[in-house]
Amino acid sequence: MKELSELKVNILQLLKEDARRSSDLIATLLGVQEEEVRTAIKELEDDHVIVKYATVVNWSKVEEEKVTALIEVQITPERGRGFDSIAERIYLFPQVKSVYLMSGAYDLLVEVEGRHLREVASFVSDKLSPIEAVLSTKTHFILKKYKQDGIIFEEHEEDHRLAISP
């Protein structure tokens, strides 16, 4: 792991807030030359610090139904490789969106997405549970997302009542 310059950290923060910001705008916001920003972004991409530019979608506003589940997985680590090879077997399934090594009562947290509940259930019973190292699973279905990646999904109406003062 290498330490990043203050410029690169600031660029990452600005891109995390809005990946569509141009290098020209970032340069203006940071008070540096645009070429410095372009070079820094290219280096961050080449070093795989920036791995992807993504859009956060509020799927509840779209007709397409999606079911997301978080699955707690207890596993037996493999000798010499620990949790890595099992995590890799799991994250290679196309239904799997994220895999995290966790501390606490279970080992991996797996985020899975499907078109409907049966599809997620089928993934757990037919693909995840049969993996030899998997000891147990506990599936939690996400009913509603309020906030993701710092973005609040709910639109709040402003309170139009008059303030009462004593």
Side-chain angles (χ1 to χ4, degrees), residues 157-163:
E157 288 187 31
E158 288 187 35
D159 191 348
H160 298 290
R161 296 178 290 176
L162 296 175

Side-chain angles (χ1 to χ4, degrees), residues 9-64:
V9 170
N10 290 335
I11 289 170
L12 289 173
Q13 289 171 337
L14 290 170
L15 288 174
K16 180 68 178 149
E17 289 171 10
D18 184 356
R20 292 174 33 167
R21 284 189 169 132
S22 68
S23 55
D24 180 43
L25 176 59
I26 293 170
T28 302
L29 291 170
L30 297 178
V32 297
Q33 296 296 315
E34 183 181 0
E35 186 56 37
E36 281 183 83
V37 172
R38 268 194 254 128
T39 301
I41 290 173
K42 174 82 170 94
E43 289 172 3
L44 290 165
E45 291 169 344
D46 291 347
D47 292 342
H48 288 97
V49 174
I50 296 176
V51 290
K52 184 178 182 178
Y53 297 91
T55 302
V56 177
V57 178
N58 184 352
W59 288 105
S60 68
K61 302 279 185 179
V62 181
E63 294 266 334
E64 185 176 333

Side-chain angles (χ1 to χ4, degrees), residues 1-157:
M1 226 188 274
K2 70 184 198 183
E3 193 170 319
L4 295 178
S5 68
E6 184 179 346
L7 173 64
K8 287 182 180 179
V9 170
N10 290 335
I11 289 170
L12 289 173
Q13 289 171 337
L14 290 170
L15 288 174
K16 180 68 178 149
E17 289 171 10
D18 184 356
R20 292 174 33 167
R21 284 189 169 132
S22 68
S23 55
D24 180 43
L25 176 59
I26 293 170
T28 302
L29 291 170
L30 297 178
V32 297
Q33 296 296 315
E34 183 181 0
E35 186 56 37
E36 281 183 83
V37 172
R38 268 194 254 128
T39 301
I41 290 173
K42 174 82 170 94
E43 289 172 3
L44 290 165
E45 291 169 344
D46 291 347
D47 292 342
H48 288 97
V49 174
I50 296 176
V51 290
K52 184 178 182 178
Y53 297 91
T55 302
V56 177
V57 178
N58 184 352
W59 288 105
S60 68
K61 302 279 185 179
V62 181
E63 294 266 334
E64 185 176 333
E65 289 293 318
K66 287 188 184 286
V67 174
T68 304
L70 299 175
I71 306 167
E72 299 174 7
V73 184
Q74 284 187 309
I75 60 176
T76 303
E78 287 185 355
R79 187 174 304 244
R81 293 215 44 205
F83 298 102
D84 295 347
S85 63
I86 299 146
E88 182 179 358
R89 281 186 66 190
I90 294 170
Y91 71 60
L92 288 174
F93 288 111
Q95 301 91 330
V96 174
K97 300 303 169 199
S98 303
V99 177
Y100 305 98
L101 180 61
M102 305 295 290
S103 64
Y106 54 94
D107 303 305
L108 299 177
L109 181 65
V110 179
E111 181 181 359
V112 176
E113 193 173 83
R115 291 184 307 253
H116 42 73
L117 189 132
R118 286 185 318 279
E119 187 174 77
V120 173
S122 175
F123 168 79
V124 173
S125 64
D126 300 342
K127 295 186 172 139
L128 183 60
S129 293
I131 295 173
E132 191 173 313
V134 172
L135 300 174
S136 69
T137 64
K138 187 186 292 184
T139 304
H140 306 273
F141 288 94
I142 294 177
L143 303 177
K144 182 177 182 177
K145 286 186 183 178
Y146 292 99
K147 185 175 182 177
Q148 177 183 333
D149 294 329
I151 299 164
I152 298 170
F153 286 110
E154 294 292 308
E155 296 172 19
H156 296 283
E157 288 187 31

